[in-house]
Amino acid sequence: MTRDELRTVTVRGVTLTVRRRGSGPDVLFIGGLGNDLTLWDPLIAETDDITAVTVDAPGIGSSSLPPRPLFMYELAAMYRELIEVLGLESATVIGYSFGGAVAQQLAIQSPEAVSRLVLCATGPGVGGFPGDPVALLEVSTPLRYYNIERLRRVTPILYGGMRAQGNGRFRAEQIARTTSPPSVLAYAYQVFALMGWSALPWLNRVRARTLIIAGDDDPIFPLGNAHLMASCIPDSTLSVRPGAGHLLVIDEAPEVGPLVSRFVHGIDPLTIQETDPEGTRR
């Protein structure tokens, strides 16, 4: 039976807004800096036979703000408890950008909760390959969420991929992003969690089967980060999306969605043919 449920759940004193949609294996989606749960709508629309569990992160969207900034291990513990509260034994966990850092931490400290792991457009933290300095400076603040002209101006620099080719086609999405911006404090809390954090010393302890999806035109997390994570995680597969930028979970949703679905259902990603921008198989 297909489920579509929106509810609030209190975990460690924080009230989280959670949506469960679809039917099939449970997949927990963890978004990037300032992203509410609607970030995942384009990708989920391209997936089959999964139960998508999306969450407004602490202080983002309709979720309440913690009384203080949380370290990465505390955020991971919160998501571990959320999995328990929802009555799940374990789940595939998919993390995008900042959410990829949370997902790595969760897989390291609570391996029993993560049946499979998907890391999208992310990196291992300190010790990884740094992004473009201008893009990193812009992403360190939420100003783009509060001013649509600023968002239009920085989009090509910040996101790469098709966004770097002119952003007029993304006007409706940009308006939506600035309609319900994250609070400055909530965004600062997320940036705080990243400061000094690194998964590199422990990535070899990740036991979950892992799929790493990265674009080769990501200004925030250059492709070297994906190769580095793949070399450290014992049971991992890397899928590189040619020409894709940082927003590949949106811009590449028709390709990434089926890839994620098949991985969740135990199909080896190496058997999935990928298409480059010219349409040739590789």
Side-chain angles (χ1 to χ4, degrees), residues 66-226:
R68 62 172 178 81
L70 301 177
F71 291 101
M72 193 65 73
Y73 75 88
E74 293 176 302
L75 285 171
M78 178 175 290
Y79 281 101
R80 172 66 181 100
E81 192 167 320
L82 175 63
I83 290 172
E84 292 179 359
V85 170
L86 293 176
L88 312 180
E89 267 188 39
S90 63
T92 295
V93 176
I94 176 169
Y96 162 70
S97 194
F98 168 79
V102 180
Q104 289 173 71
Q105 185 68 39
L106 177 58
I108 290 165
Q109 73 187 46
S110 300
E112 74 287 348
V114 182
S115 55
R116 286 177 177 259
L117 180 65
V118 183
L119 303 173
C120 299
T122 191
V126 174
F129 292 82
D132 177 86
V134 176
L136 293 182
L137 180 62
E138 181 63 35
V139 84
S140 68
T141 79
L143 293 178
R144 65 193 180 281
Y145 284 102
Y146 288 86
N147 186 307
I148 192 167
E149 292 305 322
R150 184 187 185 100
L151 178 59
R152 289 173 182 162
R153 187 170 64 252
V154 303
T155 284
I157 301 168
L158 198 57
Y159 300 122
M162 64 175 63
R163 308 279 170 147
Q165 302 166 15
N167 55 23
R169 62 182 289 190
F170 305 111
R171 180 177 177 83
E173 180 194 314
Q174 290 166 340
I175 292 172
R177 277 179 172 246
T178 54
T179 299
S180 55
S183 75
V184 173
L185 194 55
Y187 196 94
Y189 280 11
Q190 290 186 318
V191 172
F192 168 84
L194 280 173
M195 294 176 62
W197 173 82
S198 177
L200 279 179
W202 303 282
L203 278 181
N204 63 351
R205 290 168 45 189
V206 173
R207 294 294 172 255
R209 182 83 178 93
T210 301
L211 173 61
I212 301 165
I213 307 174
D216 63 5
D217 188 28
D218 186 339
I220 297 175
F221 288 105
L223 185 57
N225 289 288

Side-chain angles (χ1 to χ4, degrees), residues 21-71:
R21 183 166 46 184
S23 61
D26 294 294
V27 182
L28 173 63
F29 292 77
I30 306 177
L33 288 172
N35 300 146
D36 65 18
L37 54 79
T38 62
L39 164 81
W40 296 106
D41 288 350
L43 185 64
I44 292 170
E46 302 291 342
T47 59
D48 295 314
D49 302 322
I50 69 167
T51 298
V53 182
T54 52
V55 188
D56 278 342
I60 306 296
S62 301
S63 293
S64 67
L65 185 72
R68 62 172 178 81
L70 301 177
F71 291 101

